[in-house]
Structure formats: C-alpha cells, structure tokens
Amino acid sequence: MRHIISLLMENEAGALSRVAGLFSARGYNIESLTVAPTEDETLSRMTIVTRGSDAVIEQIQKQLNKLIEVVAVVDLTDGDHLERELMLVKVRAQGEAREELKRMTDIFRGRIIDVSDKTYTIELTGAGSKLDSFLQAIDRNLILETVRTGASGIGRGDRILKL
Amino acid sequence: MELTGAEIAIKCLQEEGVEYVFGYPGGAVLFIYDALFNQEQVKHVLVRHEQAAVHAADGYSRSTDKVGVALVTSGPGVTNAITGIATAYMDSIPMVVISGQVSSSLIGEDAFQEVDAVGISRPCVKHNFLVKDAKDIASTLKKAFYLAKSGRPGPVLVDIPKDVSNQKAEYSYPATVNIRSYHPEKHGDVTQIKRAAQLLVEAKRPMIYAGGGVVLADAAKPLTDLVRLLGAPCTNTLMGLGGFPATDKQFVGMLGMHGTYEANMAMQNCDVLLAVGARFDDRVIGNVAHFGSVPRKIIHIDIDPASISKRVPVDVPIVGDVAHVLGDLLAVLHSSKQKPDAASLETWWKQIGEWRSRNSLKYKYSDEVIKPQYVIEKLYEITRGEAFVTSDVGQHQMFSAQYYKFDQPRRWINSGGLGTMGFGLPAAMGVQLAHPGATVACVTGEGSIQMNIQELSTCKQFRLPIKIIALNNRYLGMVRQWQEFFHGNRYSESYMDALPDFVKLAEAYGHVGIRIERPSDVEGALREAFARKDELVFLDFRTDPTENVFPMVPGGKGLSEVILAEDM
C-alpha cells in the first residue's frame, strides 16, 4: 500500500543522506522524497512517499526512528491528511492546441506562468493523482518538459507534527 | 583553558577513562599523535594495519564492558578501518573511531589521502560526525561515547580535519549530554512484562533463547536466575555463548545452522519462546516460513525496537535494557503465586532428553589424523574452561563454539554478524591488553590467520603472550564443506596452496612456533604452549582436511531439517 511518511529531523548536513541511504541499503521503495527547513530553523521536515506491506512500513518507521538525527516520525496515511504536490509542465502551445491547453489548465485549476510564442509553462498543484490525470488529459506529444516536487503532506485538523 | 583541537581530543579520552587507543599514524592525525606523545595516561598501541586497530579496540570492548577506541588517519587509514567498523556494527559493539581528515579548505578537492569518511562509514556506524571547529570537539566526543555505549551499542566515527586539530579553542568537558532525538528505553513496559510472566508460568514447553544482547547488557546473572526459576531449557546464539553457563544441565547448547539437535528441536517445538537480546537472524532460525509453520507464543525482549517483529512476528514485545527487564520479570514471577507446571516440564525434559541422546556433537576420533574437534576439547580441558577465546571465521569458529563450554560471558570473542576473517588475532590483542594476566587463545585457520598475520609484529612489540591455535587443514574449510555438500565436490579455489611454514614465520616475528601432526601430540603441545606464560606460541595443528561441521541446517532449510554426522 502507498504510505506518506512525514518526519522532522535536525537541519544538519548529511541528515538527508542518512535517510536516503537507509532506504537504498534496506531495499525500501521511495516514490518521492521532499525536504526543506521549517519555521524552527534547527529542524527540517521531510515527506517520503513509499509503498510496502504493513510489516515493511513498520520497519521503515522503526529504522527511521533509529537514525540519531531523526526527531519525529509519523505515517500520515494512518489518519486524515492532506497531500499536495507542485508540477511545472512546459508544453508546445501553437495553433489549435494553444486554446485547448488554456482550457485544460483552467479545468484543472492550474495557472499559466510563462508564455512564449511557441510554449506555455503551466503550474499545477494537487494530489499526485490529479497531476497524473492532467498529464493524461492533454496530448502527450505536446509535452516538452515536466518537473514535479514530490508530495508534501500534513495531517488534518488537530493532527500536528511538531516538537 | 585554551588548547588545540588535538589536545582537546586527548583530554576528552582521558576524561572518558580511556586506557588504550589502538591506531596508526599518518599525515592528517599528526597533531593528534603529537598531543598523545605529550601525556602518559592514554596509552597507544601501534598496530600494523588499521583493520587490526579496530578489531583490537573491538576485542578490548567485548572482553570488558568499556568503549573501544581506535585512531586512524584519513583516506586509506579510514578505508582500512571500515571492515573493523562494520564488524563492530553488526555485533553492536560500543566503539569510538577517531579519523583524521584532510584540512577543511581541501575537503572536496580530491586532496592527497582524502576520502569522504562520514559518507563511506555511514551504513556501518551507529552515528558519525565531521567536526568543523575545534570548539565542537569536546561536545562531539562526549556525544560519541554516550551514543556508542547507550541503547543498542555500536561504533561511532568522529572525523577531524587536520586544521581543526591544530586550531585553538576554549576547553571544558561537558558534564552531561542531551540529544533531543535520542532517548533509549531502559525499562520495559510493565503490562507486557506481566503478560510475559503469565505466558511463561503457564507454558507446557517453554524455551529460552538468549543472544549477544545478554552479554552486552551484562545480564548473565538475571538470565541464569530466570532460567533456573522457570526450570526451562536455555539455548545461546553464537553471540550469546557464556550468557548462560554451558555446563549447566538446563543448557541445551548453541542453536542455529551448526547448533545442537536438541537446541534446534526445542526451538522448533516449544509452545512459549522467550527471546532475550537476540534477533532471529537467518543463521539462527533458518527458513522463516518453516519456523513460523508451528504455532507458539513468542516473547521478545530487546533494546532495539527495530529488532522486534523484523523477521518473525512477536506476541509480546518488550523494548528495554535486557538486564532491567529480566530483573522486573523475575520480580513479577517471584511475587506470583502460580508456579511453573512441574508435570508438563517433566514431559518436556523427557522429550529433550531423547533429542539429546542423539549426541549430535559426537565425532570419530582418529589415532592417525588430528580431528579439529579434539583440539578444541583438549584446549577446553587444559585451560579449565577459563580462557578468553577469540576466533576467526569458518569451521574452526564453529568447532570452538560447539566444544569449548563457556560458563562466563565476555570470554568468547568472535565476529558473528559480519563473519570477518582476520578478526581473531587483533581481537586477541585487545583482550590480552584488557586482561594482562589472563589466558588468551586465538582459534584460527590457515586461511583466516593470514588475513591479519602482520599483527604478530604488534604482539612482539607489546609482549602479548597470546596462544594461537591454528587448525590448519590446508582448505578454506567452511567453503570446502559447502562445495562438498552443495556444489558437487567441485573445490573451486578453496585449497590453500603454497602455505608458509608457520613455525618459521612465528620465529621470524620473534615468537615460538610448534607444528603438531599426530593426535597423540596434541595435548602435550597445548600444555607446553600454555606453560610458556610470557610468550606468544603459534600452534600449527595439521588437522583432517576432510572433516565437516555437524550438525548442519543447510541454508534456506528449517531448524528440524538438520543433517547430522550420522546421516552422512
């Protein structure tokens, strides 16, 4: 099953490679991994999207907790949560496609953030599945370049991951 | 007080009560060696290869309960140390390794003798640090010692760039250490301990399976008390030998791939299994599915939550220091009115007695060729079971584990997890330094000993009267055994040709060497060697090249799918 694991760790050089190294050394799957500092400058927050059986996910959490620089670990998929990912897509936008792409962007509540005579750059935010749908909805041949941030997640309501 | 980084590092070692540092100098650690030179409290042991420095620090730690310390230079100093660090990591040995690094300004420029020490050691340390400022050395070393020793122990590497070791900073050693993300559990959960006690007294066929965690936690006493109170059989893993007295009638021998028939059968057929400081690894329980095919309740006590339910699902997990939890468990059992079921235990012991009567460790003695098992039996007799025995890796390691009966913890020193050939001799150096008057035997093979043979020189320099028991069968014995069993007798590259004359080699290093070729000479040679109290003696036993280790649970098989010597 797909799980979103959120963790707080010391904002120190090398902490990221400990987490990444753990996943590769133990053969755990990483679908995406994002990391950035938080409002507390000593901490970074990481969101890891992974897949595995319950036993594997339990081991992943335990192994992450063992890393000295990891301060807190939660599996967001254990409860209600929100998930967002940002995608930038550069598309060939000429002729009929130019209007069609504008329409699709509006339908998906995206924004065109850069325009040239031949291209659009579209910004889209949402759950990973929404971004996938957008890419499937437009003509594949028009896609010049995509870049995605990977998912960030947060618990709903009173579910808070903080020190 | 303002000191250089190097002086601070040595001050920290003094504060930690470090007796010996095992190491090898080089460019990046020159300032640290200079600081060592100017004091006498911390003694330095100059090895002949950095791998040996780490193994020696490891042996020192395993035979005491102290943190082992090694000091190596940058680049090849660190890479040579990695095998030693990984060995300590796999067996959870507390250790601090200080490595020199090229000067800060050169890091990342492919400088002479530069290697990313923190990166290259990351998968095989409990934690590591790169110190960027001399003012951080004291707090970092304080953390390093604390991390190495607390919780599930392990090696910690501290990498110090050359300029940092020469930079001045204010020195004060922190009295306490606080790492906000690190709080190892000491006490187990009371409710779980009560559940465990209940299961154990109600068990019809209880079994206690104790591993290296018992040795590391100095929990042999409470474990022994518990086993006696419950009247249950007890087995030790390779790492746990000595955690429960091997000569006790409740001891059923080591379990696992080369464990006794009775230990493995009891493991498979018990109804309540108490695992203490052990991790159900592949060499211990064999095929996981086969192990899980029999219903039994499992209680697992371990300091590391990640060891629990990793390979085998557990019914009663108890995270905590093994010694504490066993103490609490004993207290609950003592206050309970319910006693273990004597009638069931009698039936269970009768069954175990039947398994025992298969005498799975019997071997055919020969008048003509020296049997390796016989050498270990004699070694046990002559040292009255009181020696510190280090070993390398292979058949001789298994024979030692099977035939030397360890009644005390920290006497059996071997690389169980990583299986590092070349471990035995340097580990014995650390053991001998920690216990100057004690009898230290290094059981090895002609393959393993050559992986760190250069340390005979260190032994000479530091006058370490280790007795090397080389079971020389002219084969990489365990490899040969697998090739015989599973690869159609094709002995690919397992024959040791062009062996040195070990007697002359020992003499060349300034030691005594004895070659033993007849079974009738085994005992005399051992007696002579151990009588030479102040000398290192290299005993080159020419043993039966065709002997195999039995019993054997082949890789991927279940614990009851065992091959006994009588089956062959």
Side-chain angles (χ1 to χ4, degrees):
Chain A
M1 216 184 90
R2 180 171 181 270
H3 287 254
I4 304 172
I5 293 175
S6 259
L7 56 97
L8 289 173
M9 59 190 198
E10 300 291 349
N11 186 10
E12 280 169 15
L16 168 63
S17 51
R18 285 182 212 280
V19 173
L22 168 69
F23 274 74
S24 63
R26 295 191 181 264
Y28 303 141
N29 161 290
I30 300 185
E31 214 156 88
S32 71
L33 183 158
T34 69
V35 61
T38 64
E39 80 288 357
D40 174 348
E41 65 192 18
T42 68
L43 289 173
S44 295
R45 175 146 171 172
M46 185 182 278
T47 309
I48 304 165
V49 179
T50 183
R51 278 176 195 278
S53 64
D54 289 353
V56 168
I57 299 296
E58 184 186 328
Q59 261 301 307
I60 289 175
Q61 290 192 68
K62 284 174 167 178
Q63 294 291 349
L64 284 169
N65 264 312
K66 261 178 89 168
L67 297 176
I68 307 297
E69 283 157 340
V70 170
V71 185
V73 181
V74 291
D75 181 355
L76 285 179
T77 23
D78 273 349
D80 286 345
H81 64 280
L82 296 164
E83 175 192 345
R84 288 292 181 272
E85 182 175 356
L86 174 76
M87 174 168 70
L88 303 178
V89 195
K90 189 174 288 179
V91 288
R92 188 179 292 115
Q94 286 171 302
E96 279 174 27
R98 204 166 169 90
E99 188 48 37
E100 173 64 9
L101 284 164
K102 171 80 175 75
R103 234 163 38 83
M104 290 305 283
T105 304
D106 289 343
I107 291 169
F108 280 84
R109 299 189 186 180
R111 295 194 302 149
I112 296 172
I113 55 171
D114 184 52
V115 177
S116 75
D117 53 348
K118 291 182 188 139
T119 68
Y120 281 159
T121 300
I122 302 160
E123 175 194 311
L124 209 61
T125 309
S129 54
K130 174 182 155 181
L131 307 188
D132 294 340
S133 304
F134 178 77
L135 292 177
Q136 279 159 17
I138 63 173
D139 182 351
R140 238 194 125 67
N141 297 318
L142 298 178
I143 301 173
L144 296 170
E145 194 179 346
T146 64
V147 54
R148 299 171 66 151
T149 58
S152 287
I154 197 163
R156 271 190 189 271
D158 292 337
R159 280 191 94 203
I160 290 161
L161 174 61
K162 197 173 172 37
L163 276 200
Chain B
M1 185 174 29
E2 210 168 60
L3 299 173
T4 66
E7 288 164 343
I8 291 173
I10 299 305
K11 280 266 181 211
C12 294
L13 299 184
Q14 291 175 347
E15 285 285 342
E16 288 292 335
V18 174
E19 196 182 3
Y20 288 106
V21 170
F22 301 88
Y24 205 102
V29 282
L30 278 171
F31 290 112
I32 299 177
Y33 271 84
D34 206 33
L36 259 177
F37 189 79
N38 291 323
Q39 56 87 55
E40 283 173 0
Q41 192 180 328
V42 179
K43 296 186 274 288
H44 182 270
V45 178
L46 177 68
V47 295
R48 301 299 184 265
H49 187 289
E50 288 88 349
Q51 182 190 348
V54 183
H55 289 329
D58 184 324
Y60 178 88
S61 175
R62 289 184 203 232
S63 69
T64 59
D65 61 348
K66 299 178 190 161
V67 178
V69 181
L71 172 59
V72 299
T73 193
S74 65
V78 171
T79 54
N80 279 345
I82 291 294
T83 300
I85 296 171
T87 303
Y89 182 66
M90 285 292 271
D91 291 343
S92 307
I93 304 304
M95 178 185 291
V96 171
V97 178
I98 300 174
S99 55
Q101 180 55 279
V102 300
S103 284
S104 308
S105 61
L106 296 173
I107 290 179
E109 297 190 349
D110 301 321
F112 176 65
Q113 292 193 329
E114 181 185 359
V115 75
D116 174 10
V118 163
I120 211 166
S121 65
R122 190 178 297 120
C124 58
V125 292
K126 182 169 174 185
H127 197 56
N128 56 20
F129 300 92
L130 169 65
V131 187
K132 290 178 179 160
D133 194 303
K135 71 175 166 39
D136 299 329
I137 290 180
S139 60
T140 304
L141 280 168
K142 179 80 185 176
K143 280 184 196 166
F145 276 89
Y146 169 63
L147 287 171
K149 192 77 176 71
S150 58
R152 180 176 180 173
V156 178
L157 179 126
V158 179
D159 200 32
I160 306 179
K162 186 169 185 178
D163 58 319
V164 174
S165 69
N166 193 35
Q167 183 191 3
K168 289 222 167 182
E170 199 59 37
Y171 168 72
S172 72
Y173 201 58
T176 55
V177 54
N178 177 35
I179 303 170
R180 63 177 168 180
S181 54
Y182 179 75
H183 307 283
E185 290 283 344
K186 259 210 139 74
H187 298 278
D189 183 85
V190 179
T191 319
Q192 296 289 57
I193 292 173
K194 285 183 179 157
R195 277 183 68 203
Q198 192 64 28
L199 275 174
L200 286 166
V201 285
E202 285 172 1
K204 304 264 183 269
R205 300 183 308 280
M207 172 72 170
I208 295 165
Y209 145 56
V214 170
V215 176
L216 290 167
D218 289 317
K221 172 81 173 66
L223 174 73
T224 307
D225 292 349
L226 180 75
V227 174
R228 295 212 173 116
L229 181 73
L230 292 171
C234 179
T235 181
N236 280 152
T237 65
L238 179 68
M239 293 310 300
L241 293 174
F244 185 78
T247 53
D248 192 289
K249 61 181 190 318
Q250 281 174 257
F251 188 62
V252 291
M254 179 175 77
L255 83 165
M257 182 172 272
H258 295 295
T260 65
Y261 185 64
E262 55 271 32
N264 285 337
M265 290 302 281
M267 191 76 181
Q268 190 70 6
N269 292 288
C270 63
D271 68 340
V272 175
L273 177 65
L274 172 64
V276 190
R279 56 188 180 89
F280 295 89
D281 89 84
D282 56 309
R283 285 292 196 267
V284 165
I285 59 159
N287 184 305
V288 177
H290 183 276
F291 182 74
S293 65
V294 194
R296 60 170 98 63
K297 292 283 181 201
I298 301 179
I299 305 158
H300 191 177
I301 308 172
D302 206 285
I303 188 83
D304 179 8
S307 281
I308 295 179
S309 295
K310 183 170 74 177
R311 301 192 72 232
V312 170
V314 165
D315 301 284
V316 184
I318 307 176
V319 177
D321 179 276
V322 165
H324 271 88
V325 175
L326 286 176
D328 290 349
L329 185 56
L330 274 166
V332 172
L333 286 166
H334 277 303
S335 65
S336 159
K337 288 187 190 72
Q338 211 176 341
K339 296 293 163 220
D341 176 359
S344 300
L345 278 176
E346 200 186 316
T347 316
W348 180 222
W349 274 110
K350 211 174 142 221
Q351 171 68 72
I352 291 166
E354 279 169 33
W355 291 326
R356 242 181 199 163
S357 68
R358 297 285 290 270
N359 195 8
S360 62
L361 292 181
K362 71 171 174 266
Y363 66 93
K364 285 195 196 91
Y365 175 79
S366 158
D367 286 331
E368 274 143 39
V369 57
I370 299 173
K371 290 289 181 177
Q373 300 95 325
Y374 176 70
V375 178
I376 306 298
E377 281 183 333
K378 287 290 150 192
L379 173 68
Y380 173 72
E381 271 175 45
I382 287 162
T383 57
R384 296 181 302 281
E386 290 166 357
F388 287 89
V389 179
T390 73
S391 101
D392 272 303
V393 171
Q395 286 186 324
H396 65 269
Q397 177 189 26
M398 293 301 121
F399 289 134
S400 305
Q402 291 175 328
Y403 294 91
Y404 201 101
K405 300 183 195 75
F406 294 93
D407 278 344
Q408 289 168 275
R410 299 192 181 278
R411 292 293 166 120
W412 165 239
I413 314 284
N414 85 127
S415 166
L418 196 68
T420 308
M421 290 171 71
F423 174 79
L425 179 57
M429 301 186 327
V431 175
Q432 188 76 76
L433 283 160
H435 307 273
T439 304
V440 181
C442 165
V443 181
T444 184
E446 81 288 351
S448 284
I449 193 68
Q450 291 189 85
M451 285 215 185
N452 266 322
I453 191 101
Q454 76 287 344
E455 296 308 314
L456 285 173
S457 174
T458 310
C459 293
K460 186 65 188 172
Q461 184 177 345
F462 293 88
R463 300 171 201 283
L464 304 176
I466 296 160
K467 305 299 177 274
I468 297 173
I469 317 290
L471 304 179
N472 178 354
N473 63 354
R474 282 82 72 210
Y475 273 104
L476 299 176
M478 192 59 92
V479 174
R480 193 205 55 74
Q481 176 168 344
W482 282 58
Q483 288 170 336
E484 180 187 331
F485 289 8
F486 314 119
H487 298 274
N489 299 310
R490 291 181 297 280
Y491 300 127
S492 178
E493 303 300 322
S494 57
Y495 184 71
M496 274 268 154
D497 211 344
L499 285 171
D501 180 331
F502 286 111
V503 172
K504 282 190 186 156
L505 188 68
E507 287 167 0
Y509 277 107
H511 302 301
V512 178
I514 306 174
R515 181 174 304 113
I516 307 98
E517 290 171 303
R518 287 197 308 273
S520 55
D521 294 335
V522 168
E523 187 168 343
L526 282 166
R527 288 199 186 282
E528 186 192 339
F530 285 101
R532 291 175 177 266
K533 293 235 174 286
D534 301 325
E535 286 169 296
L536 183 149
V537 183
F538 192 120
L539 293 154
D540 180 18
F541 290 97
R542 296 305 178 95
T543 57
D544 184 352
T546 64
E547 192 58 58
N548 289 319
V549 182
F550 292 108
M552 181 175 191
V553 178
K557 294 285 185 182
L559 283 181
S560 56
E561 299 172 308
V562 56
I563 308 171
L564 298 176
E566 66 192 34
D567 301 330
M568 298 304 282

